[in-house]
Amino acid sequence: MMTNPTIPKLNFSPILPLIPQNVAVIGAGAAGLVAARELRREDHKVVVFERENKVGGTWVYNPSTESDPLGLDPTRVVIHSSLYASLRTNLPREVMGFRDYPFVAKNGAQRDPRRFPGHVEVLEYLNNFETDFGLIELVRLGAEVRRARLEGGKWKIRSRMRVGEELDEVYDAVVVCNGHYTEPRIAEIPGIETWPGLQIHSHNYRSPEPFQGQVVILIGSSASAVDICRDIAGVAKEVHIASRSVTVGTIGKLPGHNNMWLHSMIESAHGDGIVVFRDGSAVCADVILHCTGYKYNFPFLDTNGIVTVDDNRVGPLYKHVFPPLLAPLLSFVGLPRKVVPFALCEIQSKWIAGVLSGRVLLPSSDEMMADVEAFYRTLDASGIPKHYTHYIGDSQFEYNDWLASECGYPPSEEWRKEMYSAAIKNMEVRPETYRDEWDDEDLVAQAHEDFKCFSK
Ligand code: FAD
């Protein structure tokens, strides 16, 4: 296991006696793995339930797609990962990795040394993380949590093995790490019921071949949308991007592409195959591809209405983690969006582990509730819609550093913040080539200097 001379295991001398808890972690993606590591570091007894037969969550590429290409049919067999075959990371590896387990290039036949590697490399990194921290013994593969319910101050967890019976067990605390890129959100389009073409959500996009010679309308402007439209443009007849964030002057044919156009949002769809955009243009299309994001979904969680999902706001949650009325016995890792997920999950997990053992104190539930209400009022006052509650993008480092100070961990490194900003800017300036061209070599050098203390 890697050692870390600069970041101590426990930074606070315990004021209270440390109390080990029996903790159920739901999901063994990046969030669940790092939560398991942090909980065990504080001597909690941990079981990680993982529905799939492998750890890694999103990063376990699955070439299969769901029977309903829009992912709306509740009876469909759910495929967890939304990865497409060509996916490379949208963050540089130095920023993307856990803070005390750097994501450095490694030698080996399966390894991808690029700074923005393909998805297989990320899964290798997570597998190495699991092995190096001996987490295998904590994870129950093929075990889906069907229900988690608080009864008499304890959590009753009902799980079902892929092969075998349902099992009921009792835990002190539950940490929810089930990911939020599986349940599609789709765009509402007037007239879509009569439109004869194929609709699919990016959750079920794997490769461009099925779009050969087709006219495709792609809705969205996220990092996935940017990748997928370029993937498809190589084989499709035409690709039309419908985006909410277009500005006057950018509408029309995209420079550098002979078959890609940018439009405003879709106004309506019609029975003759025509789709009309708000900018007045119209296209007869074969496919509408929704790259329109995902919904939070916790079908197994029964909190008696204490925690709800309302227009993609999971709440009430203190600092996106603890429901004030159920803290610290219920917590969520990895809900914030537009962030660097691994490092954020790592610091949230440290906080949860410390709070559960009594080493780190939370405010009273009234104080936490007041904080949540004040946060919601700030969002309202700034005109931020409810469904952006967990979009903390610009304030993510401030958020991480607040959590770090709560658990006695150092704040984010300056190079990490600067590199993240540089990467986002580079992506905007060079959408086609940002993964292979950059100007922040000085920051890469600083990162590698820092990483030296983590090498074996
Ligand atoms: P997940 O990885 O989704 O893991 C959740 C786990 O919970 C899964 O293994 C699932 O099987 C399990 N589970 C769910 N329900 C149950 C249940 N009831 N019982 C038991 N187990 C259950 N992040 C980056 O840092 N860089 C990138 O370049 C990047 N690109 C991305 C591209 C795409 C297309 C997508 C969708 C996401 C991307 N992300 C990227 C974000 C990515 O989701 C995070 O990096 C990270 O994988 C989130 O980890 P997680 O553990 O929260 O969720």
Side-chain angles (χ1 to χ4, degrees), residues 96-226:
M96 189 171 152
F98 296 116
R99 280 186 54 195
D100 63 4
Y101 189 80
F103 187 15
V104 287
K106 294 218 167 135
N107 295 325
Q110 297 299 312
R111 303 312 295 238
D112 176 350
R114 292 175 295 179
R115 205 176 161 214
F116 294 74
H119 57 82
V120 175
E121 172 73 1
V122 183
L123 184 60
E124 284 290 311
Y125 167 74
L126 289 175
N127 284 330
N128 291 165
F129 180 84
E130 186 203 29
T131 307
D132 282 355
F133 290 101
L135 304 175
I136 294 166
E137 63 199 41
L138 306 182
V139 182
R140 257 188 229 168
L141 292 174
E144 177 177 8
V145 172
R146 306 284 294 168
R147 197 177 67 198
R149 186 159 65 190
L150 196 58
E151 287 179 21
K154 296 275 180 192
W155 283 97
K156 267 192 101 172
I157 304 284
R158 173 163 296 173
S159 60
R160 189 173 65 189
M161 298 300 290
R162 286 216 157 170
V163 186
E165 300 284 296
E166 288 196 332
L167 179 66
D168 285 321
E169 293 167 294
V170 175
Y171 290 85
D172 299 318
V174 167
V175 183
V176 178
C177 303
N178 69 328
H180 50 81
Y181 291 104
T182 297
E183 203 61 28
R185 282 182 69 169
I186 62 158
E188 283 176 19
I189 303 173
I192 197 71
E193 330 68 62
T194 62
W195 186 74
L198 169 72
Q199 289 189 78
I200 103 165
H201 188 277
S202 56
H203 175 58
N204 286 308
Y205 174 80
R206 297 291 177 272
S207 64
E209 292 78 27
F211 303 95
Q212 181 87 41
Q214 308 246 294
V215 176
V216 179
I217 295 176
L218 181 146
I219 309 174
S221 50
S222 64
S224 297
V226 172

Side-chain angles (χ1 to χ4, degrees), residues 26-32 49-52 56-59 80 82-84 87-91 96 143-145 177-181 224 300 333 341-342:
I26 303 175
F49 292 86
E50 172 49 58
R51 180 166 66 179
E52 304 292 330
T58 286
W59 298 100
H80 184 78
S82 304
L83 290 192
Y84 34 93
L87 185 135
R88 289 174 67 187
T89 66
N90 52 31
L91 291 170
M96 189 171 152
E144 177 177 8
V145 172
C177 303
N178 69 328
H180 50 81
Y181 291 104
S224 297
F300 50 84
V333 179
F342 288 18

Side-chain angles (χ1 to χ4, degrees), residues 1-15:
M1 187 189 297
M2 290 190 174
T3 52
N4 173 3
T6 54
I7 301 179
K9 182 176 157 192
L10 283 179
N11 286 352
F12 285 168
S13 357
I15 304 160

